[in-house]
């Protein structure tokens, strides 16, 4: 079967890094490029971190593009309190040697969707949706050409992780999320409801480290670092691997279950800004616009991830 073509839009972030590593280790997907966006840390760091991760994976050939350095209309909110000053705190990784691409990430997204056959490119989004929304605004002709958007973001039963109501990726740029979720593109959302069930328990972290390769050890060190926030806040038994649920879904969708429902974004209320209002019980009468995931086979997810990380340097 031909590999599925994907663009990864990301704000690395340790969990973004693991999502990228999983994709680069998996023959089921072909990463056409990685587009960095401001989110967990400023753009200058997210674009650098994306290149660092590609080199860790032994894939300096993957083109990395810098995108939007702030949300569509709001001040950038970052998450150094979770990911550390660099965004990739934990392991000591060498600075990247592969250069950043000259083109803007939005230009790459538009050009790629126009060039590739219609319905063959999936957008895997791991951060705020600013790049995607900007591309859709600048080139509405590409919207109908997207095969699927698979997006980490939002929450319903789990409520917020950056405010009482909102998940970080949506909160940073709610207007961008509204544009993307109302675009009409086939959309699958990985909210906190499912990512909080993908916890890197100690045995799972030990399994990463036991791989003995640079990728496995770095993954153990990254998740060791960024579990602090969730352990302190939720009493979790380990770091929630938010973003790898996106690339795992593209590779092995059977691991996930959810509902096709209406999902809308709060963009007006200060109290609930960025909240994803997910009509899980189908009471609104609003048209379903996304498959909103609620559960996963966690053992199967970690078995897949660990087996694939073993394939990298
Ligand atoms: O709320 C979790 C999301 O915000 C993840 O994508 C994490 O990397 C941060 O971007
Ligand atoms: Ca992210």
């Amino acid at each position: 079967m031909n590999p599925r073509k994907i663009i990864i839009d990301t704000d690395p972030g340790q969990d973004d890094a693991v999502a990228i590593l999983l994709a680069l280790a998996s023959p089921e997907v072909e990463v056409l490029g990685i587009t960095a966006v401001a989110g967990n840390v400023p753009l200058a760091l997210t674009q650098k971190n994306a290149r660092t991760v590609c080199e860790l994976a032994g894939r300096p050939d993957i083109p990395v593009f810098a995108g939007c350095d702030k949300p569509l209309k709001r001040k950038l909110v970052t998450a150094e309190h979770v990911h550390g000053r660099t965004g990739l705190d934990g392991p000591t990784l060498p600075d990247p040697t592969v250069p950043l691409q000259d083109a803007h990430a939005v230009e790459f997204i538009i050009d790629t969707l126009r060039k590739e056959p219609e319905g063959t490119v999936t957008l895997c989004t791991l951060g705020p949706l600013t790049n995607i929304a900007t591309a859709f605004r600048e080139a509405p002709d590409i919207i109908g050409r997207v095969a699927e958007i698979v997006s980490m973001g939002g929450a319903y039963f789990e409520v917020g992780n950056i405010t009482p109501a909102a998940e970080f990726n949506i909160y940073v740029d709610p207007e961008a999320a509204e544009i993307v979720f109302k675009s009409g593109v086939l959309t699958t959302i990985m909210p906190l409801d499912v990512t909080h069930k993908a916890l890197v328990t100690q045995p799972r972290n030990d399994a990463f480290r036991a791989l003995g390769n640079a990728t496995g050890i770095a993954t153990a060190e990254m998740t060791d670092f960024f579990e602090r926030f969730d352990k302190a806040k939720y009493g979790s038994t380990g770091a929630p691997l938010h973003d790898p649920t996106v690339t795992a879904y593209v590779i092995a969708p059977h691991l996930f279950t959810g509902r096709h429902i209406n999902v809308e974004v709060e963009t007006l209320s200060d109290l609930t800004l960025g909240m994803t209002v997910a009509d899980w019980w189908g009471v609104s009468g609003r048209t379903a616009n996304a498959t909103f995931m609620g559960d996963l086979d966690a053992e199967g997810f970690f078995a897949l991830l660990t087996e694939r990380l073993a394939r990298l340097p």
Side-chain angles (χ1 to χ4, degrees):
M1 187 164 169
N2 289 336
R4 199 163 156 186
K5 294 176 181 176
I6 69 172
I7 293 173
I8 299 175
D9 192 72
T10 179
D11 64 335
Q14 291 90 346
D15 60 318
D16 303 67
V18 181
I20 293 166
L21 292 169
L22 174 57
L24 296 179
S26 298
E28 297 87 346
V29 295
E30 177 189 354
V31 180
L32 299 178
I34 294 178
T35 51
V37 67
N40 284 321
V41 287
L43 180 67
L45 286 171
T46 58
Q47 60 88 347
K48 176 187 173 190
N49 293 342
R51 291 184 287 136
T52 295
V53 173
C54 288
E55 293 197 0
L56 173 65
R59 294 298 305 279
D61 59 299
I62 300 291
V64 175
F65 302 82
C68 300
D69 62 2
K70 59 185 180 304
L72 294 182
K73 60 177 271 192
R74 296 177 184 276
K75 189 171 169 297
L76 177 64
V77 172
T78 53
E80 287 86 350
H81 62 290
V82 178
H83 299 276
R85 185 188 56 76
T86 71
L88 274 191
D89 285 27
T92 302
L93 297 172
D95 283 346
T97 58
V98 65
L100 183 69
Q101 298 294 310
D102 293 335
H104 190 284
V106 170
E107 182 188 348
F108 169 74
I109 292 166
I110 293 169
D111 291 350
T112 303
L113 282 164
R114 283 176 173 162
K115 181 181 68 178
E116 295 292 337
E118 184 173 327
T120 62
V121 177
T122 294
L123 302 178
C124 293
T125 77
L126 314 180
L129 288 161
T130 317
N131 285 344
I132 310 302
T134 303
F136 283 7
R137 269 180 158 173
E138 286 184 11
D141 62 288
I142 68 171
I143 296 172
R145 302 182 63 83
V146 179
E148 183 175 9
I149 294 170
V150 186
S151 181
M152 191 280 139
Y156 183 60
F157 295 102
E158 281 295 290
V159 291
N161 61 358
I162 188 74
T163 73
E167 177 278 327
F168 179 79
N169 287 341
I170 309 301
Y171 177 74
V172 169
D173 199 340
E175 286 75 17
E178 183 177 54
I179 288 168
V180 173
F181 291 171
K182 287 190 171 176
S183 67
V185 174
L186 176 67
T187 298
T188 299
I189 297 173
M190 293 288 164
L192 298 180
D193 302 45
V194 67
T195 70
H196 280 181
K197 297 173 182 173
L199 299 178
V200 184
T201 58
Q202 194 56 54
R204 290 165 177 166
N205 187 285
D206 293 344
F208 294 150
R209 201 178 295 273
L211 293 174
N213 57 349
T215 298
I217 292 166
T219 299
E221 292 172 340
M222 284 190 285
T223 52
D224 264 344
F225 180 87
F226 100 105
E227 72 177 13
R228 296 169 298 102
F229 173 79
D230 287 81
K231 276 190 164 179
K233 176 171 180 178
Y234 298 100
S236 306
T237 56
L241 278 187
H242 305 292
D243 295 335
T245 62
V246 169
T247 43
Y249 173 77
V250 176
I251 296 159
H254 64 276
L255 294 174
F256 298 87
T257 55
R259 289 184 185 179
H260 191 64
I261 60 173
N262 178 269
V263 181
E264 306 224 352
V265 181
E266 178 58 66
T267 58
L268 302 175
S269 156
D270 289 338
L271 181 63
T272 57
L273 183 70
M275 180 177 185
T276 47
V277 181
D279 188 7
W280 187 261
W281 304 110
V283 297
S284 72
R286 293 192 291 264
T287 305
N289 59 329
T291 297
F292 195 81
M293 291 301 182
D295 206 352
L296 86 164
D297 166 3
E299 288 305 317
F301 170 73
F302 279 97
L304 171 72
L305 176 58
T306 307
E307 186 272 323
R308 295 297 163 92
L309 294 177
R311 301 186 184 190
L312 295 175

